[in-house]
Amino acid sequence: MADKSFKYIIVGGGVAAGYAAREFAKQGVKPGELAIISKEAELLDSQGFMCALEVEERNSFPSGMQRKARDPFFNMVSELAPPNSSFSLLGPLSYIVHAPDVQSLVCRGEGLESHIGISLILSTYIVKADLASKTLVSAAGESFKYEKLVIATGSTVLKLSDFGVQGADSKNIFYLREINDADKIVEALKANKNAKVVVVGGGYIGLELTAVLRMNNIEVDMVYPEPWCMPRLFTEGIAAFYEGYYKKKGVNMIRGTTAVKAVKLKDGRVLEADIVVVGVGAIPLTSLFEGQVETDKRGIKTDAFFKTSAPDVYAVGDVATFPMKMYNDVRRVEHVDHSRKSAEQAVKAIYASEQGKSIDEYDYLPYFYSRAFDLSWQFYGDNKGETVLFGDTDPNSATHKFGQYWIKDGKIVGAFLESGTPEENKALAKVAKVQPAATLDQLAQEGIGFASKI
Ligand code: FDA
Ligand code: NAD
């Protein structure tokens, strides 16, 4: 097969790819210069998968989640659509654009191709990357040549078998990463309306998916090995609120143990389950580039412009291990905010280098968030040092508004808030960025008021 050649190729079709494409469009990429190659059939935002489940099951779309499901391609579509258009959901992850002068345009990314001239090479699994000859090869044997490559392959799920669990390939065990995964879970739930579900894992997927299931009145047990949920961010004090709240919502949370054989637990208990959904972490997809780029912390090492050690190759999103300027450290981040910003930074850097210009180094303030049931929290900064909890941490209260600060060397380095207003969340970001001096007593007394003064 003849090679296809492009000036720029983005490999991957997720969040970072979407934002990279958007930035390419902003920078004035010419028709035919850019291709996005993804193994999936659609351009996706994996965040949307959770929403896909909600939509399928409840036929409703909570307002807070609308943008999530449509992002980032929603942004492109909205930029392309005529003024006064509105959008509504047409099944999971495809959108119908209602516009006054266009009858209806079903968009699964086609807009990119016809409006901007970005080639979408979907359902194409890249199985070989030769960075020396600047060539990618697909499973079907097609070759793609590039001048500049943006790696945006994201992560894949860690499996129970990675932890040595037997029976982990049983057909009632599901994972959640791609749209197909969500479809399979929805199908299994539809086939068994009274299914009893066990969710394995107490991180983001575990907590968010459990909430979605309970909102659909599905019986759920949650099991995780740590003494409290979301241990990579939550302290025991924060987790106590969420565990209490989930209990109130009818979730049975089993802590401090894990699955050793399907849903047989390490402590000997056996859980009854029709369906098991596993969220035990993610691992960046870097194997295509092994031995060809420097790696660190399981990711592809980049500089502050997301340039890797290989010439003309950039890595963005979940796969990038980059300098975290604020903390004089190198880190890898598995969240959308960084995926978007790293993608934009890389494309800006590509154009700047072509024009002999320079841009500022990436200076990222970590930002994580999650929504479940009617709860919504945000966190900015670093979760290091001493902590102080403030506000109403009673899971049974009507307001449940509380937060936490992290203090290191007498300065605030991290801030968490549940149920904050947009202004308070802005203040949270600012306080984590500015890092003012404060004492634990002062913060316990002033709570979010302290951040709001900064
Ligand atoms: P992403 O995973 O988005 O995209 C990678 C793309 O590369 C995929 O299209 C994949 O198919 C493709 N690909 C990989 N290898 C390939 C190959 N060899 N050939 C061709 N294509 C290949 N974060 C957050 O901040 N808030 C949130 O609410 C959520 N919610 C959420 C829900 C669920 C269910 C998941 C799984 C994850 C989240 N996340 C999240 C995490 C967030 O989605 C994640 O950090 C970003 O999607 C990372 O963006 P990337 O573009 O790096 O990878
Ligand atoms: P995670 O890292 O958030 O949580 C993994 C959890 O797995 C741990 O907290 C632990 O409780 C559990 N675990 C580990 N080993 C286990 C074992 N042997 N048995 C049982 N439990 C075990 O990962 P995740 O929840 O799977 O999420 C996957 C990816 O998706 C991550 O990159 C995450 O950041 C991302 N994500 C983010 C959001 C968000 O930002 N709101 C939402 C969903 C997913």
Side-chain angles (χ1 to χ4, degrees):
M1 266 184 252
D3 287 348
K4 284 187 181 150
S5 289
F6 297 92
K7 184 167 184 191
Y8 311 107
I9 290 183
I10 301 169
V11 58
V15 174
Y19 274 75
R22 187 160 165 253
E23 190 59 36
F24 269 113
K26 277 189 189 167
Q27 297 283 342
V29 72
K30 294 189 184 66
E33 281 187 338
L34 172 64
I36 301 176
I37 306 181
S38 176
K39 67 180 162 67
E40 290 168 64
E42 284 134 8
L43 293 170
L44 290 175
D45 174 359
S46 48
Q47 283 187 90
F49 301 163
M50 208 70 79
C51 304
L53 279 173
E54 296 229 14
V55 172
E56 282 275 339
E57 288 303 298
R58 296 199 304 158
N59 207 19
S60 70
F61 206 36
S63 58
M65 300 195 101
Q66 288 198 8
R67 211 176 147 266
K68 269 178 98 177
R70 297 163 180 181
D71 192 33
F73 292 99
F74 169 76
N75 289 338
M76 295 205 70
V77 173
S78 60
E79 280 161 19
L80 294 170
N84 307 321
S85 315
S86 65
F87 301 85
S88 67
L89 196 78
L90 177 79
L93 296 166
S94 66
Y95 315 106
I96 192 153
V97 181
H98 303 286
D101 49 351
V102 179
Q103 265 219 319
S104 66
L105 164 73
V106 176
C107 179
R108 282 185 173 240
E110 286 95 335
L112 305 186
E113 202 137 27
S114 55
H115 290 258
I116 312 180
I118 298 174
S119 300
L120 301 179
I121 304 174
L122 302 179
S123 304
T124 301
Y125 188 21
I126 297 300
V127 291
K128 193 174 165 220
D130 181 359
L131 301 186
S133 66
K134 297 190 167 183
T135 310
L136 305 174
V137 181
S138 76
E142 276 181 290
S143 291
F144 303 95
K145 290 252 184 208
Y146 60 83
E147 289 173 35
K148 291 202 169 90
L149 177 67
V150 178
I151 303 172
T153 43
S155 303
T156 189
V157 292
L158 272 170
K159 297 223 160 175
L160 279 177
S161 50
D162 296 324
F163 298 93
V165 176
Q166 300 160 21
D169 50 357
S170 156
K171 69 174 181 355
N172 70 341
I173 297 188
F174 298 90
Y175 292 84
L176 187 57
R177 182 85 212 175
E178 299 180 358
I179 189 68
N180 288 340
D181 301 326
D183 287 347
K184 283 184 206 155
I185 297 171
V186 172
E187 234 170 74
L189 290 170
K190 274 186 174 164
N192 186 349
K193 293 262 183 240
N194 300 313
K196 193 170 182 306
V197 179
V198 171
V199 171
V200 181
Y204 284 96
I205 298 252
L207 287 167
E208 292 183 5
L209 183 71
T210 297
V212 170
L213 295 170
R214 281 305 300 143
M215 285 159 86
N216 288 289
N217 288 321
I218 294 164
E219 215 180 311
V220 194
D221 285 340
M222 235 182 118
V223 55
Y224 44 93
E226 297 92 354
W228 62 81
C229 65
M230 190 77 86
R232 68 178 162 130
L233 177 63
F234 291 179
T235 54
E236 190 172 6
I238 294 180
F241 167 81
Y242 291 99
E243 290 178 351
Y245 197 88
Y246 274 57
K247 206 167 161 195
K248 194 174 93 174
K249 293 284 184 187
V251 179
N252 179 25
M253 296 180 113
I254 305 167
R255 305 179 297 183
T257 188
T258 183
V260 288
K261 184 175 175 219
V263 276
K264 180 162 183 248
L265 305 185
K266 207 172 182 174
D267 64 13
R269 280 178 286 177
V270 177
L271 301 178
E272 234 183 85
D274 304 298
I275 293 171
V276 180
V277 188
V278 182
V280 292
I283 181 161
L285 284 168
T286 59
S287 57
L288 275 176
F289 310 99
E290 221 166 75
Q292 304 184 74
V293 284
E294 276 178 37
T295 55
D296 193 5
K297 300 193 168 152
R298 292 180 147 187
I300 298 174
K301 198 171 166 187
T302 74
D303 65 10
F305 308 98
F306 296 96
K307 207 167 186 316
T308 71
S309 59
D312 299 320
V313 179
Y314 293 73
V316 294
D318 278 13
V319 293
T321 300
F322 61 96
M324 185 77 87
K325 197 173 175 184
M326 273 191 78
Y327 308 125
N328 196 20
D329 198 358
V330 292
R331 294 198 192 167
R332 206 171 55 70
V333 172
E334 293 172 1
H335 292 271
V336 294
D337 183 57
H338 159 71
S339 294
R340 296 167 182 162
K341 289 178 176 157
S342 59
E344 287 169 353
Q345 171 79 350
V347 177
K348 281 182 184 148
I350 288 173
Y351 275 85
S353 74
E354 286 174 358
Q355 292 158 4
K357 293 183 187 156
S358 62
I359 60 167
D360 289 341
E361 288 181 341
Y362 193 60
D363 187 7
Y364 186 62
L365 173 69
Y367 165 45
F368 312 135
Y369 64 87
S370 183
R371 300 185 189 103
F373 298 114
D374 56 343
L375 304 172
S376 167
W377 60 257
Q378 299 204 0
F379 167 83
Y380 288 90
D382 213 10
N383 57 333
K384 301 255 164 71
E386 290 181 282
T387 58
V388 57
L389 208 54
F390 61 84
D392 178 2
T393 54
D394 179 357
N396 296 308
S397 88
T399 54
H400 48 67
K401 183 162 185 164
F402 74 98
Q404 181 164 287
Y405 292 105
W406 280 256
I407 294 196
K408 214 174 138 206
D409 304 327
K411 288 178 178 173
I412 295 179
V413 292
F416 174 99
L417 188 64
E418 168 59 51
S419 301
T421 62
E423 294 72 35
E424 287 167 342
N425 288 330
K426 253 193 205 160
L428 211 62
K430 191 163 179 202
V431 83
K433 181 79 187 166
V434 172
Q435 301 191 333
T439 65
L440 295 173
D441 284 348
Q442 184 184 15
L443 294 174
Q445 260 179 23
E446 294 185 30
I448 190 62
F450 183 93
S452 301
K453 286 188 317 209
I454 302 299

